[in-house]
Amino acid sequence: MLNIQFKSIVVGLLLISFTACKNAKSNTKTDADNEVTISVKKENFLSGGLVEPISIVSRELSDGSTADCYKIVVTSTPTDHEMGPWCPDNIADDASAGGIWLEDGKVYDVDGEFVKNLGTFYDDETWMMYHSETGKITKTSTKEECNDAANPNVGEEYQNFCVECLPSYVADISHTYYIPVSPKKAKNPYPFSNGPAGGPPPGGGPDDGHERPGPPPGGPEGNSTTPSDRGLAFNGVVFNAPAPTDNILAAYTLAPFDDAGGHINLHEGYHYHAATGVSKKIEQPDNHSAMIGYAFDGYGIFENADSDGNEYTDLDDSRGHYDETRGYHYHVDKAGNNNFIDGLRGEYAL
């Protein structure tokens, strides 16, 4: 009798254990199963920055698959803020007459005093970007000078010039971009080299508005198809790769950004190198930082810090993380670091 009871108890315990394990297994899902995916909302883009209405086209992605992508043709001209100024006219000018400069993680006002003290700032007496008697600052004043002074092989005749390219020089530029309607997480992330901007934007010509079959070189070494640009602001202006400040300074030139973190070159038009909180943003109701655009893999891009000014400490190597409200998303670097994000976590359109 005892043996029968003992066997019954053992069998009962085994059944309970089996059932518990089965239930535990059935309630366990992989991270991929639990992840919320937030699709791109085309209505977030400001219509004023578009050449044509956003449409859906089928495009090949970086993993060889095909997906619906938004075709976004932009003017690269913000309609939510003014462009410039960049270079002040005189060393007596205050910060309202100039833009900003990014150095060692800090943002500096390019006012007259900053230009006057460039030799001290960089500990190099070669810097002398103004007339010693009048205080007038030497800067580019034509489209041709803009082109020559912004050239990587800038001639000595432009030494100690403040480079200022004006919106009127690029009024006819448009660019075409493709962003997956629903982001697709890549098996492995695509890291950026975080070198300077290396070429025209993905899917669009440098200055003629014509489409290209795919993104240009400019990504990390060994992966020439990765876009050099990072994403799009809601006003249609591109988040560019880090500006080549070392090359600019080596030629004893200065190419300031405006207060929105943008400036102009003749190939790309107006583009951003830093997020300073000026362009359109979508505030979040839960103290989370505001959304400012989309990366080229379709994941959202958000400001650096939350509404209390706290930076996020759990970001991955691409500067992204996950929550159930926004899905996977990115947080941009601090403006003074001349950088946005460090890679794409999803597949991007070719």
Side-chain angles (χ1 to χ4, degrees), residues 109-173:
D109 284 323
V110 181
D111 53 13
E113 192 71 13
F114 182 84
V115 174
K116 178 182 178 181
N117 293 319
L118 277 171
T120 302
F121 188 78
Y122 285 114
D123 193 23
D124 186 341
E125 294 181 357
T126 306
W127 287 99
M128 185 62 181
M129 199 173 281
Y130 63 96
H131 192 283
S132 59
E133 296 182 0
T134 65
K136 182 179 180 180
I137 293 172
T138 307
K139 61 181 181 178
T140 57
S141 58
T142 67
K143 184 175 181 178
E144 290 72 24
E145 288 182 348
C146 160
N147 180 68
D148 293 342
N151 191 304
N153 299 315
V154 57
E156 291 185 3
E157 65 271 24
Y158 289 103
Q159 181 173 297
N160 274 309
F161 265 68
C162 190
V163 182
E164 182 175 72
C165 299
L166 302 179
S168 59
Y169 303 164
V170 293
D172 296 329
I173 279 184

